[in-house]
Amino acid sequence: MDLTILGGSAAAPNPNDASAGYLVRSGGTTLLVDCGSGVVSRLRQHCDPRALTAVLISHLHSDHVLDLVTLRYYLQYAPPGPQAPLPLYLPPGGIAFLEQLSAAFARGNEQTSGFWDSVFAPREYSDYLEAETGLLLEDLSVQFAPMVHYIPTWAMRFTESVTEHSLTYSADTGPTSTLAGFAADCDLLLCEATLLQQVGNDPAAWGHLTAAEAGQIATAANVRHLVLTHLWTELGLPNYLAAAQATFAGPVDLARTGLSFTTADPLLTHTHRLE
């Protein structure tokens, strides 16, 4: 299984980066995970969006969903035009959220009622939250776990059906013991690390992790490789790396646009970066 970073920024894209967006590929399965600002342009440098198996959204904050509008217009109007609707898996409440977006963007001959359905097959993954096998998407199974954030958010664990190699994506979350158990023994942990230190004295109000906390989670989960994401350049990217390395003894990388990682040998990093 390969992970390609399309965007690893926090609430707004860093220079030469995009907001949250990740390409997960295994065999003939190609998944777009989250679709924040600037992601579609980066996605097109790696594959035709029509070749995607599915799109999965962790939660409904703008830096994880805003380029769904861009993707919709690409699928609708780019030559040769619409093809079979692309499966789009959303958290609970996602369908109503799409309806609100279509009310804002549908203009002229675009009807609100069919704004998304012409190119997407939207569905909520509520039915898969408790399923032991998770969501099955060709070569991959996807399991979900609720995280601690300002709105309902789900981490995702991707497992290859043949090799059983695994990748866990934390999505956005504050400190929670749930994540270490969910990510236990995975090959790659793609973990948010928005902060260098927590703000305020009330842990119940913390909706993001520090880089040191991400390292602690990786250690507790016994993962093989940690990749930090959801970062601000203003805080200094080397500072993130140093903080995580102080709490996790394994390899640590930063989620920079264009970097790829593989679960077959998570110590191997393909360093091609798209600028």
Side-chain angles (χ1 to χ4, degrees):
M1 179 175 11
D2 293 324
L3 165 68
T4 299
I5 308 299
L6 303 178
S9 301
N14 292 318
N16 294 319
D17 199 5
S19 293
Y22 313 97
L23 199 59
V24 177
R25 290 183 278 200
S26 175
T29 306
T30 305
L31 306 178
L32 173 61
V33 180
D34 282 343
C35 194
S37 301
V39 164
V40 171
S41 175
R42 305 288 179 166
L43 172 65
R44 292 185 63 191
Q45 292 176 288
H46 292 275
C47 72
D48 184 339
R50 294 186 181 88
L52 291 170
T53 303
V55 179
L56 294 93
I57 301 297
S58 66
H59 66 293
L60 301 175
H61 272 156
S62 64
D63 56 322
H64 294 255
V65 301
L66 202 55
D67 247 26
L68 282 178
V69 176
T70 305
L71 183 56
R72 183 266 178 190
Y73 279 102
Y74 175 86
L75 296 173
Q76 180 73 37
Y77 295 113
Q83 298 183 12
L86 175 62
L88 169 60
Y89 292 93
L90 300 157
I95 300 297
F97 176 82
L98 287 185
E99 291 175 353
Q100 292 176 316
L101 272 184
S102 63
F105 284 102
R107 292 291 184 269
N109 62 353
E110 296 175 337
Q111 299 299 312
T112 299
S113 60
F115 185 81
W116 302 101
D117 294 344
S118 59
V119 295
F120 287 121
R123 61 201 74 175
E124 297 179 3
Y125 47 72
S126 308
D127 293 342
Y128 307 100
L129 296 179
E130 303 298 331
E132 183 175 347
T133 57
L135 170 64
L136 300 178
L137 295 171
E138 298 181 359
D139 298 283
L140 293 170
S141 66
V142 188
Q143 294 174 302
F144 303 89
M147 293 291 101
V148 177
H149 195 44
Y150 308 116
I151 63 172
T153 304
W154 278 265
M156 304 177 195
R157 179 168 179 146
F158 304 87
T159 304
E160 288 184 310
S161 57
V162 176
T163 67
E164 297 189 351
H165 286 308
S166 57
L167 156 69
T168 298
Y169 168 46
S170 71
D172 286 8
T173 185
T176 171
S177 59
T178 301
L179 180 55
F182 185 62
D185 299 318
C186 71
D187 297 291
L188 278 170
L189 172 60
L190 176 63
C191 191
E192 85 116 271
T194 311
L195 308 172
L196 291 177
Q197 61 183 17
Q198 292 289 359
V199 179
N201 298 317
D202 181 11
W206 294 345
H208 290 289
L209 295 172
T210 68
E213 288 165 341
Q216 291 167 349
I217 290 169
T219 297
N222 191 38
V223 305
R224 296 177 62 190
H225 194 162
L226 172 63
V227 180
L228 304 178
T229 192
H230 212 261
L231 311 175
W232 291 107
T233 56
E234 287 82 355
L235 295 181
L237 298 181
N239 295 331
Y240 286 113
L241 199 60
Q245 289 171 334
T247 57
F248 177 62
V252 183
D253 278 287
L254 304 180
R256 302 292 288 154
T257 294
L259 286 181
S260 293
F261 306 90
T262 175
T263 59
D265 180 1
L267 300 183
L268 175 63
T269 303
H270 305 292
T271 56
H272 176 60
R273 180 175 292 123
L274 301 172
E275 299 293 356

